Amino acid sequence: MTGLFILAGAGLIILIWWLATYNGFIAKRNQARSALSSVDVHLKKRHDLIPNLVNTVKGIMQHENDLLTKITELREQAANRDIESSERMTLESEISSNLGAISVRAEAYPELKSSDNFIHLQKSLNEVEEQVSAARRAHNGAVEMFNNALEMFPSSIVGNAMNLKKMAFFEAAEVERAPVKVDFS
């Protein structure tokens, strides 16, 4: 009889552990999805600012038209991708680096640098970029917790039983990893 109680107790402990681990995975996955949604909100905000920035800059930076066209095209491509796709993450990174290029090139245009519209848009864009960066860090932290739980024993047993897959991190594009080149010519 004692053996039966020990066996039932062990079974109950394993069941409680299984349920706690299962619920932990659900919570971690939802936290990562919530953080990704936050990234998406900030990216949408940035996408809404881009047309205003491009139109403000277009009139003054006529020969920078290729850069402005590229940013517009990247924005449209990114808007048509699922936020969880690696393609979207890569496109958003490219947008970030190209927006930085506008700020660097704007230094050569005194009339643009002194434009109230441009200054306001640049400040707004910088603020949004900081928010995107913070949201990406939060997402990557949540993904790290989820992936760690998925790969660590014994929780990996539950994760494999749930058919869970590792989640993708937001990573910087190669363009963003390259050293910044400042040209004063």
Side-chain angles (χ1 to χ4, degrees), residues 76-146:
E76 289 171 8
Q77 290 174 14
N80 294 326
R81 299 287 193 291
D82 185 307
I83 185 64
E84 292 187 31
S85 75
S86 61
E87 293 170 355
R88 169 90 182 263
M89 292 178 192
T90 302
L91 289 167
E92 294 296 349
S93 292
E94 273 189 71
I95 290 171
S96 292
S97 62
N98 282 295
L99 287 172
I102 282 182
S103 295
V104 170
R105 291 182 184 177
E107 294 296 317
Y109 298 91
E111 65 275 17
L112 181 59
K113 286 190 331 188
S114 64
S115 163
D116 289 340
N117 258 0
F118 181 73
I119 291 168
H120 175 71
L121 284 169
Q122 193 173 30
K123 284 180 183 177
S124 297
L125 205 51
N126 286 340
E127 181 181 308
V128 169
E129 287 299 318
E130 288 172 11
Q131 292 169 348
V132 167
S133 179
R136 283 178 175 176
R137 284 191 304 274
H139 169 71
N140 284 346
V143 166
E144 179 182 19
M145 287 176 54
F146 177 84

Side-chain angles (χ1 to χ4, degrees), residues 10-184:
L12 185 60
I13 290 172
I14 290 172
L15 178 65
I16 291 170
W17 168 81
W18 185 276
L19 291 173
T21 304
Y22 179 90
N23 288 335
F25 272 117
I26 299 298
K28 286 175 180 70
R29 182 178 59 194
N30 289 342
Q31 185 178 18
R33 286 179 175 167
S34 174
L36 186 60
S37 177
S38 179
V39 171
D40 196 34
V41 166
H42 294 300
L43 292 174
K44 170 78 169 103
K45 195 173 176 182
R46 178 174 73 179
H47 283 236
D48 291 344
L49 282 173
I50 288 173
N52 295 327
L53 180 65
V54 168
N55 289 333
T56 300
V57 174
K58 253 184 190 172
I60 297 169
M61 297 172 65
Q62 285 301 324
H63 70 280
E64 303 291 356
N65 198 33
D66 291 343
L67 176 61
L68 299 171
T69 302
K70 183 174 183 178
I71 290 172
T72 302
E73 289 172 359
L74 288 170
R75 175 184 167 266
E76 289 171 8
Q77 290 174 14
N80 294 326
R81 299 287 193 291
D82 185 307
I83 185 64
E84 292 187 31
S85 75
S86 61
E87 293 170 355
R88 169 90 182 263
M89 292 178 192
T90 302
L91 289 167
E92 294 296 349
S93 292
E94 273 189 71
I95 290 171
S96 292
S97 62
N98 282 295
L99 287 172
I102 282 182
S103 295
V104 170
R105 291 182 184 177
E107 294 296 317
Y109 298 91
E111 65 275 17
L112 181 59
K113 286 190 331 188
S114 64
S115 163
D116 289 340
N117 258 0
F118 181 73
I119 291 168
H120 175 71
L121 284 169
Q122 193 173 30
K123 284 180 183 177
S124 297
L125 205 51
N126 286 340
E127 181 181 308
V128 169
E129 287 299 318
E130 288 172 11
Q131 292 169 348
V132 167
S133 179
R136 283 178 175 176
R137 284 191 304 274
H139 169 71
N140 284 346
V143 166
E144 179 182 19
M145 287 176 54
F146 177 84
N147 288 347
N148 284 345
L150 190 58
E151 293 179 11
M152 291 179 167
F153 183 80
S155 60
S156 61
I157 296 168
V158 177
N160 288 333
M162 294 172 67
N163 290 321
L164 297 175
K165 304 292 180 219
K166 286 177 65 175
M167 298 178 103
F169 290 99
F170 254 109
E171 295 181 358
E174 286 300 318
V175 176
E176 291 178 317
R177 292 185 190 142
V180 176
K181 296 176 186 175
V182 178
D183 182 10
F184 291 107

